[in-house]
Amino acid sequence: MKWTNDRSDNVDDRRGSGGGGGMLVGGGLGTIIIAAIVFFLGGDPSAILQNSNSAPQQTEQRQLTKEELNIREFVRMLTKENEQTWEKIFQENGIQFRPAKVVLFESTTDSGCGTAQSEMGPFYCPSDQTIYIDMSFFNELQQKFGAKVGQFTVAYVLGHEYGHHIQNLLGTLDKVHQLSQRGSETQANRISVANELQADFYAGLWAKQTDNREKILEPGDIQEAMSAAAAVGDDNIQKRGQGYVNQESFTHGSSAQREEWFMRGYNTGDIRQGDTFSALLK
């Protein structure tokens, strides 16, 4: 992936800050549930965060390494490219755009949805319109779930979480919450799948539009995104975690669906083609 010279000021790097400002998950969650939380990429984790059993953990203040500083610059670049691409799309459709904030942390930090923990994986909090990422997630993604991790893997994950911010700005997340309260658990799961696949679509759309503007893509980048999308498919997670697949319990979509909707966003480059709800909730 080619780097640009653009950098966002909306990235808050809390790594190495030290202190005991957060909590870690204690007992009470089964292994399968934890796996689902960690690797599902997205949604509002506030209920889990606020209700988990926890214990404080102190971390020492330290200087960031050269590699960590480089990661910060990379995330600042990706964040700015998301801001520029989505501001352009919103302007074209007569909608006001507000950028999200991105927080880099390690182990634990405070969020508008409660205490953010590494075990949660990357997530978007609608309450403070902020994306939270512990970069150690990408090691887990490769080692435990078989993804081929590279720079564009990070771009895909951030693009997916920024997709949830776009849904928040458009009112989609509010509608999803309302719809999920009205039906059965199975119906709520289907709504969740549509919601997450739309975020994948938005990540693909971002990749297409940004490449049109900045020529950021290099050979193998899209394959990296596909590898990550497949790794976090519900069927792959369930197979690795419990040995079998229960489609009715899917909340984010199968590996094939996640790849399909990312590529639909990438191939069309058209936000109007991303109505996963009409396509999946017939």
Side-chain angles (χ1 to χ4, degrees):
M1 180 179 180
K2 294 180 181 178
W3 287 42
T4 71
N5 293 324
D6 301 321
R7 300 291 185 272
S8 173
D9 293 327
N10 289 313
V11 176
D12 177 9
D13 191 352
R14 301 179 185 174
R15 298 171 301 167
S17 60
M23 303 291 184
L24 287 179
V25 173
L29 292 179
T31 303
I32 302 305
I33 298 175
I34 292 175
I37 294 170
V38 173
F39 297 104
F40 271 174
L41 291 181
D44 181 359
S46 57
I48 297 165
L49 288 167
Q50 292 169 356
N51 294 320
S52 63
N53 295 322
S54 55
Q57 182 191 45
Q58 298 289 331
T59 57
E60 293 184 3
Q61 192 168 2
R62 64 179 180 82
Q63 294 293 321
L64 296 181
T65 66
K66 190 173 182 179
E67 181 182 2
E68 288 172 325
L69 293 173
N70 196 48
I71 288 171
R72 175 200 292 167
E73 289 304 295
F74 183 56
V75 172
R76 288 185 65 205
M77 180 198 74
L78 290 176
T79 302
K80 188 64 175 181
E81 298 307 336
N82 270 277
E83 291 168 356
Q84 292 187 81
T85 293
W86 284 110
E87 184 170 23
K88 178 177 179 290
I89 294 171
F90 272 47
Q91 285 179 347
E92 291 171 349
N93 290 275
I95 308 170
Q96 184 178 0
F97 174 76
R98 296 189 306 276
K101 293 187 179 299
V102 178
V103 169
L104 297 177
F105 72 99
E106 51 189 358
S107 298
T108 179
T109 193
D110 293 329
S111 85
C113 294
T115 301
Q117 302 149 359
S118 298
E119 288 83 357
M120 296 296 299
F123 69 89
Y124 173 71
C125 175
S127 299
D128 57 10
Q129 298 189 12
T130 300
I131 296 163
Y132 293 86
I133 303 178
D134 184 327
M135 299 301 291
S136 65
F137 166 78
F138 295 97
N139 294 329
E140 299 287 328
L141 191 61
Q142 178 169 284
Q143 294 168 7
K144 291 187 177 181
F145 289 87
K148 178 185 177 183
V149 173
Q151 289 187 349
F152 203 76
T153 310
V154 181
Y156 159 66
V157 170
L158 184 62
H160 175 98
E161 300 306 335
Y162 220 99
H164 285 307
H165 178 62
I166 298 307
Q167 290 175 317
N168 194 28
L169 295 181
L170 296 177
T172 306
L173 294 185
D174 287 338
K175 293 177 182 177
V176 165
H177 179 71
Q178 293 169 9
L179 288 173
S180 298
Q181 304 302 308
R182 297 175 185 171
S184 64
E185 181 179 351
T186 299
Q187 179 66 5
N189 287 344
R190 293 181 64 212
I191 294 168
S192 177
V193 167
N195 185 58
E196 295 300 328
L197 293 179
Q198 187 176 69
D200 281 332
F201 174 89
Y202 286 159
L205 171 63
W206 168 81
K208 181 69 169 184
Q209 296 251 7
T210 305
D211 188 54
N212 287 344
R213 189 184 73 251
E214 296 283 0
K215 304 302 179 187
I216 61 171
L217 293 179
E218 294 181 313
D221 283 346
I222 296 301
Q223 286 76 9
E224 285 181 7
M226 291 298 90
S227 177
V232 294
D234 285 328
D235 49 347
N236 184 53
I237 292 172
Q238 289 185 358
K239 283 178 185 176
R240 290 174 180 267
Q242 62 190 23
Y244 63 91
V245 174
N246 177 11
Q247 190 168 349
E248 286 191 358
S249 67
F250 283 7
T251 58
H252 285 60
S254 67
S255 297
Q257 285 177 311
R258 301 202 70 164
E259 293 181 71
E260 174 191 352
W261 281 98
F262 175 91
M263 289 306 302
R264 190 174 300 194
Y266 178 74
N267 288 329
T268 66
D270 182 2
I271 194 172
R272 295 170 295 181
Q273 304 303 314
D275 186 0
T276 54
F277 299 93
S278 295
L280 299 171
L281 301 179
K282 296 177 181 178

